[in-house]
Amino acid sequence: IDGILYSSSYGDGLMEYKNGTFSLAAGGEFFREKSITGLVAYDKNHLLAGTLGNGVYLYNRVNGSIDEDFVDKELNDYFSIGNISNISQVEESFVVSGFNGVVFINRDGEASEIISEKENLLDKNVPSIYYNKEMDQTSPVWIANYMGISKLEPTSPFRVFTESSGIEDFVNDIKLFNETLYVATFNGLYYKSSTQTGTSFTLIPDTEGELIRNLIIFKPTRYRQFLIASSQFNTYVIYPWKNVSILKDLITNPPLDLSEQEEYAGMFAVQDPDKQSTFYTGRIHIVGVEYKRGKWSEQTRIRELHDEILLNKVIDKYGFLWTSSDKWVTRIDLKVKNDPPKKFFSTANGLPANED
C-alpha cells in the first residue's frame, strides 16, 4: 500500500518491510492473534483493516493508534461472525466481503447497504469482488460466490447469475476485458455473453478442466492488450476477439528441454510496470515474457528459488519482484538484468513461521 509491503503475522501482529527485514509496524502488536484478511488505504495516514474473526478496525499507520469503535459493535459482531475475506474500495465506499455476504460501509463506518442471501445473493460465501475503477460510476460490482457470480448494478435492481447461467464450479477471479466479463473457475475460464433471450456464461473449451487461478490484463503497448489466464499447468493468452492460445506454443525462443517449457505456466502472473511489454510468470522459476512486434519471446529466467511452487507475485515501486511459496518469501531485484540478486525471507527476517 503506497509502496509499503505489509504482512499479517498471527503470532506477532501487523508487520511492515523496512531496511531489508520485516519488523513490527507502529502499534502492530494490537493485531497479534488477529488474522488480517483485508487491508486498504482509508486516507493518507490511515488503513482500514479487516480480520478473520474480530471485525474491522481503523489503523493509524503514523502513530500506531487503533480506532476500535470506527464500526459500531452490532455491525462488527456481524463481521466477526461472517469471517471477513476481503476489503475493497468502490468509489467513496468500502466493500467488506466474507462468509456472511457483502456490506458497503461509508467513511463514517456506517453500513449503507447489506447484501446477503435475503437480497437474492447467490450464496453467502464471498471470497472476493471485482470493480473496474477505470469506468465511471455506472460500473457494476461483480461478486464472486463459491458457485457462481452475482452482479450489483448501481443504477438498476440487483441481478444474479447462477449455475444455470453456465458456471459450474468455484470462482477464483473476475476481470472485465474488452467489454466482456471473464470468470476464472476450478473448471476453466468462462465469458459472459448476452442476447435478446438472456445472459449466460460460456466455457472456453481450450481451458476446460483447468483450475484457473488468476487473471491479469496485459497491455504491452498503448493499442494492444491481452487477457492472461494462469493455472499451474498452462498460461492462456486470450485475444480481444476471444481466440485463445497457450503461451508455450507462442514463444519464439523456447528452451530445447521440454520440462523447462513447463515454466511458462504459473499460479499467478504480473506485468512489469517499468517495462510494459513484459510480464512474469513461472511455477518454480521466474520467467519474463516479452511481447514485441507481434512476437512472444522469453527474456529472463531466474532459477535457484528453493524448488517450491511459486504462488502470488507482485512488483513494488522500487523494481523488486516479490513472490511467495509455502515456506519462503523471495525478493528479486529486476533492475539488475543479468543474474539479478535474490533475497529469501524466513523467520530469521520476521516471518511468523517456516511452515505451510
Side-chain angles (χ1 to χ4, degrees):
I1 300 172
D2 296 332
I4 299 175
L5 182 65
Y6 292 94
S7 173
S8 172
S9 167
Y10 185 79
D12 295 316
L14 180 63
M15 317 288 286
E16 63 180 9
Y17 181 74
K18 279 186 176 180
N19 301 320
T21 189
F22 283 94
S23 58
L24 200 63
E29 65 276 3
F30 173 84
F31 294 99
R32 186 177 295 133
E33 298 185 359
K34 295 180 178 71
S35 296
I36 299 174
T37 51
L39 197 64
V40 64
Y42 175 83
D43 59 24
K44 182 179 179 181
N45 296 326
H46 295 83
L47 302 179
L48 202 60
T51 61
L52 189 60
N54 299 92
V56 172
Y57 304 94
L58 188 64
Y59 165 66
N60 187 318
R61 54 178 166 173
V62 177
N63 60 27
S65 62
I66 309 290
D67 185 351
E68 299 183 54
D69 299 318
F70 176 71
V71 172
D72 69 37
K73 185 180 184 305
E74 184 178 358
L75 182 58
N76 238 359
D77 288 344
Y78 183 84
F79 288 144
S80 299
I81 294 171
N83 289 329
I84 293 169
S85 61
N86 186 48
I87 297 181
S88 302
Q89 184 171 359
V90 174
E91 297 298 332
E92 291 301 311
S93 296
F94 296 94
V95 183
V96 182
S97 60
F99 304 104
N100 211 5
V102 172
V103 179
F104 285 72
I105 61 175
N106 59 28
R107 288 193 167 271
D108 295 323
E110 301 166 337
S112 58
E113 188 171 11
I114 296 177
I115 302 170
S116 65
E117 289 175 298
K118 294 179 180 179
E119 288 74 35
N120 295 325
L121 192 65
L122 181 60
D123 63 64
K124 65 181 182 180
N125 301 303
V126 181
S128 65
I129 71 160
Y130 173 72
Y131 174 75
N132 187 358
K133 297 178 181 179
E134 297 180 0
M135 294 180 64
D136 58 24
Q137 295 181 358
T138 62
S139 174
V141 176
W142 293 94
I143 300 169
N145 299 114
Y146 272 168
M147 295 300 291
I149 297 293
S150 304
K151 181 172 91 169
L152 179 63
E153 291 273 13
T155 57
S156 67
F158 186 67
R159 203 172 161 195
V160 174
F161 302 103
T162 68
E163 281 189 75
S164 61
S165 301
I167 296 175
E168 297 181 353
D169 219 319
F170 296 131
V171 175
N172 289 317
D173 203 357
I174 316 168
K175 284 290 185 296
L176 188 68
F177 171 63
N178 197 39
E179 300 184 358
T180 298
L181 188 77
Y182 288 84
V183 180
T185 78
F186 275 46
N187 187 51
L189 183 65
Y190 292 77
Y191 67 90
K192 184 173 78 73
S193 56
S194 299
T195 66
Q196 293 181 347
T197 59
T199 300
S200 65
F201 285 87
T202 302
L203 175 66
I204 297 176
D206 292 343
T207 69
E208 184 173 6
E210 285 266 22
L211 193 166
I212 306 296
R213 183 65 182 85
N214 170 244
L215 301 173
I216 69 166
I217 297 174
F218 176 50
K219 298 180 179 179
T221 71
R222 182 177 179 182
Y223 303 105
R224 178 78 69 176
Q225 63 177 355
F226 305 92
L227 181 68
I228 304 298
S230 300
S231 79
Q232 186 173 343
F233 303 106
N234 285 297
T235 294
Y236 295 95
V237 178
I238 295 89
Y239 299 84
W241 48 91
K242 299 187 180 70
N243 286 22
V244 179
S245 296
I246 296 176
L247 180 62
K248 65 183 178 182
D249 297 334
L250 299 174
I251 301 295
T252 57
N253 60 338
L256 296 178
D257 186 342
L258 295 179
S259 65
E260 295 277 279
Q261 296 183 25
E262 294 178 358
E263 293 302 316
Y264 296 130
M267 298 296 281
F268 286 84
V270 60
Q271 183 167 4
D272 191 331
D274 296 322
K275 189 178 180 183
Q276 292 291 311
S277 61
T278 300
F279 75 89
Y280 295 90
T281 185
R283 298 174 68 244
I284 297 175
H285 306 157
I286 292 290
V287 179
V289 175
E290 183 181 51
Y291 177 85
K292 190 173 183 179
R293 298 191 180 101
K295 295 182 179 181
W296 301 81
S297 62
E298 177 180 328
Q299 296 296 307
T300 307
R301 185 174 289 248
I302 303 168
R303 307 172 189 272
E304 300 176 358
L305 300 177
H306 289 293
D307 293 330
E308 292 184 356
I309 296 294
L310 302 177
L311 303 174
N312 209 351
K313 304 175 183 73
V314 296
I315 299 175
D316 66 22
K317 66 179 182 180
Y318 303 107
F320 292 110
L321 186 151
W322 296 80
T323 185
S324 61
S325 62
D326 279 346
K327 298 181 180 180
W328 297 90
V329 171
T330 303
R331 188 191 72 181
I332 302 167
D333 190 351
L334 297 178
K335 299 185 296 295
V336 180
K337 300 305 178 185
N338 297 319
D339 192 22
K342 302 175 284 291
K343 186 169 184 178
F344 302 97
F345 296 87
S346 62
T347 52
N349 309 97
L351 291 181
N354 285 341
E355 301 175 355
D356 294 2

